[in-house]
Amino acid sequence: PASQRVVSKSRHLLIRSGVAARKQIYSSVQAAVTARYGEGASLSTLTCSSSYPTLGEWDRHGGGYNKGWQTDHLSQQHRWKSTATVSSNVSDESSVSSKEEALALATAKVIREIKADLVKADVNNDGKIDSEELKAVLRNYSDVFTDKDIVEIGELFYVGKAGSGVPHNDFLRAVSNVIYDKAELDEGGVNHRKIGSSSHPLGLGKCGTEYSFGKSRGVYTEDELDVKLTHVPPKTNADKIALAAVGVVRFLFDGVSLWNFGEITQAKVLRRVIFLETIAAIPGFVAAMVRHFQSVRTFSRDGGMLNMFLDEANNERMHLLSFVRMRDPGNVMRFVVLGSQVAVGTGFLILYAMSPAFCHRFVGYVEEEACHTYTTIIDTIENAPDESEMAEWRTEIAPAIARGYWKLGETGTVLDMMYAIRADEAEHRDVNHVCSGIREGQINPLYNPEDQFDKVLEKYAKQILKRGKD
């Protein structure tokens, strides 16, 4: 029927048009939806139905849209096809560009091939894909997914679904969402897609964030090692106070340590970084401890934040353990560290209980300064004369604990270690600035299972397209 064709075409346009155009099209087509499917029907309910094709299954053919939809569920097959040309009553606003047509063709190809993969991996013929079947599918793409990737992806999927499977249709809808980038649409097709876990086709849920966060400190990429010295301008009075406090602390410490006087030497660098890393390991642990007590006291979830902060604290500790293999602190340093830990630990605990947002902003600014410090150290090493003391770190082998932790390789140097530590500090900088703006009860924005799995689906779909071109 004409109304059905208008519904199909218009929904495609909702995805590709601007916000105003989407609202206009969505309103005008609702009448056609009601006329064709009855009261209570909506555009989103049609696209969620397993009896109708998903968004991505468009084939341009003979001046019209040829939709082929086949769902294998045990021995049953359901097909829905329409080859009629779109009605001429559709406005010029609804014309589809050649770029969109190409995307539709590519999406249809991806959907068909993924469907074939799902059917092949469905060993129990239940029309669903579980974690083991998903891993079997991804093993066919070993040029993209390593064995480690496949294990982690399978674990993420198992945790997200609590051991259950996902219907093939929902899996295909998730792929279609990733390809068409529906981040702007809600379940009615207008605003934002992810409003609660139920809006994601896979329904992965958030339980896994409470226990499955575990960052592997693997090899950093060249882009990740090329740290940009960024700064987040203060917006609130609390931000301005945090920035001013960091500036005062930096000025005083630079003066006491004579950092800006004379040449930079190995001894000066190691004294500075050893002391700073003993302090830097405190905020993450305090944040995790406070959130842990709050979670058990209120019988509520933490949203995956405390595990991330524990990882941050341990990462700073690994910086320290690497440096002390290069220089053993004397008794005076140990005494200063003890006093500093008591003062900073107590003060930060009180402040965090009062205002976590302020504390994370403060730490974010501290990490900005850390990035500056390690950039200065790296530049000094790289530009030092060949016979100088600092030049030795260009070839000196890093401590074994550092080579193992950052996977620097057997010949990883102290300079390589400095690059990895700076990348860590840049990550802490960005994480704490983000966490300064999170709402109470918000899921960890840096470890959302749905976003993690969307990245997997995107890689999967891109590889299918690449194989098709090859």
Side-chain angles (χ1 to χ4, degrees):
S3 58
Q4 192 169 23
R5 294 194 297 274
V6 173
V7 168
S8 300
K9 178 73 177 292
S10 298
R11 186 176 190 282
H12 178 69
L13 294 172
L14 286 172
I15 302 303
R16 308 311 306 170
S17 305
V19 175
R22 281 202 303 271
K23 290 182 178 180
Q24 182 179 355
I25 298 170
Y26 187 82
S27 298
S28 63
V29 82
Q30 185 60 48
V33 175
T34 304
R36 175 63 180 85
Y37 299 100
E39 293 294 333
S42 68
L43 202 52
S44 74
T45 57
L46 293 182
T47 58
C48 293
S49 171
S50 61
S51 301
Y52 296 93
T54 59
L55 162 67
E57 297 169 294
W58 286 79
D59 281 332
R60 186 70 173 172
H61 178 70
Y65 283 95
N66 176 26
K67 291 186 174 183
W69 175 250
Q70 178 173 332
T71 303
D72 295 312
H73 180 71
L74 299 179
S75 61
Q76 297 181 356
Q77 293 185 340
H78 305 285
R79 300 193 180 188
W80 185 90
K81 295 187 177 181
S82 175
T83 56
T85 304
V86 176
S87 172
S88 59
N89 292 329
V90 179
S91 65
D92 292 339
E93 186 182 34
S94 65
S95 60
V96 182
S97 68
S98 58
K99 181 179 179 180
E100 292 162 352
E101 293 169 1
L103 179 60
L105 280 170
T107 305
K109 175 180 174 59
V110 171
I111 293 293
R112 286 194 299 268
E113 296 198 20
I114 291 178
K115 180 63 178 178
D117 285 345
L118 297 179
V119 172
K120 182 179 179 181
D122 191 9
V123 293
N124 54 1
N125 294 324
D126 63 352
K128 296 182 179 180
I129 182 169
D130 56 31
S131 61
E132 292 301 318
E133 292 169 346
L134 175 61
K135 289 190 284 187
V137 169
L138 298 182
R139 289 190 186 101
N140 297 323
Y141 302 87
S142 57
D143 48 343
V144 175
F145 300 102
T146 65
D147 291 341
K148 180 182 178 182
D149 290 336
I150 293 172
V151 171
E152 291 179 351
I153 293 167
E155 178 67 14
L156 174 66
F157 190 81
Y158 184 92
V159 168
K161 295 303 298 180
S164 63
V166 170
H168 291 173
N169 293 340
D170 289 346
F171 192 90
L172 295 175
R173 285 181 58 229
V175 174
S176 181
N177 281 350
V178 170
I179 296 175
Y180 274 84
D181 189 15
K182 289 172 53 182
E184 295 185 66
L185 304 178
D186 65 9
E187 294 173 57
V190 180
N191 295 316
H192 296 279
R193 186 194 69 182
K194 293 183 179 179
I195 306 175
S197 61
S198 61
S199 60
H200 195 283
L202 298 182
L204 293 179
K206 304 296 192 297
C207 296
T209 59
E210 297 302 313
Y211 55 85
S212 60
F213 179 88
K215 182 176 176 59
S216 175
R217 297 287 169 180
V219 179
Y220 279 114
T221 65
E222 290 297 325
D223 288 340
E224 291 169 333
L225 291 175
D226 184 20
V227 172
K228 302 297 187 296
L229 299 179
T230 62
H231 172 64
V232 175
K235 296 180 180 179
T236 66
N237 289 333
D239 292 348
K240 294 176 183 179
I241 294 173
L243 180 60
V246 171
V248 170
V249 172
R250 168 96 196 214
F251 176 79
L252 294 176
F253 184 69
D254 285 351
V256 172
S257 63
L258 303 179
W259 179 250
N260 294 322
F261 298 92
E263 295 183 353
I264 295 179
T265 64
Q266 290 186 3
K268 183 183 287 188
V269 168
L270 290 174
R271 281 198 303 269
R272 183 181 183 86
V273 296
I274 286 175
F275 177 77
L276 289 178
E277 296 297 351
T278 63
I279 304 302
I282 294 175
F285 189 84
V286 170
M289 179 180 67
V290 171
R291 298 186 72 91
H292 173 79
F293 278 113
Q294 182 181 25
S295 178
V296 297
R297 182 177 68 252
T298 60
F299 312 102
S300 60
R301 297 179 181 179
D302 174 67
M305 304 294 289
L306 69 87
N307 292 318
M308 181 176 66
F309 293 138
L310 279 176
D311 175 79
E312 178 181 314
N314 187 59
N315 179 244
E316 299 285 11
R317 187 176 67 92
M318 293 305 299
H319 295 177
L320 174 65
L321 295 181
S322 297
F323 287 130
V324 296
R325 295 300 184 275
M326 301 173 64
R327 179 186 179 91
D328 186 25
N331 291 331
V332 174
M333 172 70 81
R334 294 172 186 271
F335 177 78
V336 171
V337 168
L338 175 61
S340 299
Q341 283 192 337
V342 172
V344 175
T346 303
F348 196 83
L349 175 62
I350 295 173
L351 283 175
Y352 199 88
M354 296 170 59
S355 177
F358 172 83
C359 290
H360 286 301
R361 186 66 75 196
F362 177 84
V363 174
Y365 287 136
V366 168
E367 298 294 358
E368 288 182 3
E369 297 299 328
C371 289
H372 281 281
T373 295
Y374 281 107
T375 296
T376 300
I377 295 171
I378 289 171
D379 289 344
T380 302
I381 297 172
E382 292 183 330
N383 298 318
D386 291 339
E387 302 300 325
S388 66
E389 180 186 54
M390 292 299 292
E392 296 176 1
W393 280 353
R394 292 201 291 260
T395 56
E396 181 180 330
I397 302 299
I401 190 172
R403 300 199 309 272
Y405 182 67
W406 286 287
K407 297 179 175 58
L408 301 177
E410 185 179 2
T411 59
T413 65
V414 174
L415 178 59
D416 295 331
M417 181 184 74
M418 292 296 184
Y419 267 105
I421 291 176
R422 184 179 67 169
D424 288 343
E425 303 293 6
E427 178 186 283
H428 302 329
R429 172 197 65 194
D430 298 338
V431 165
N432 278 278
H433 279 313
V434 169
C435 290
S436 180
I438 63 173
R439 302 182 302 274
E440 185 69 25
Q442 182 178 341
I443 295 297
N444 184 346
L446 304 171
Y447 187 73
N448 187 316
E450 294 174 351
D451 294 338
Q452 295 284 98
F453 205 79
D454 279 349
K455 294 177 182 178
V456 174
L457 294 178
E458 185 177 9
K459 287 177 63 176
Y460 178 30
K462 285 182 177 179
Q463 185 59 16
I464 290 179
L465 287 173
K466 181 180 177 181
R467 287 189 177 185
K469 292 178 181 180
D470 296 341

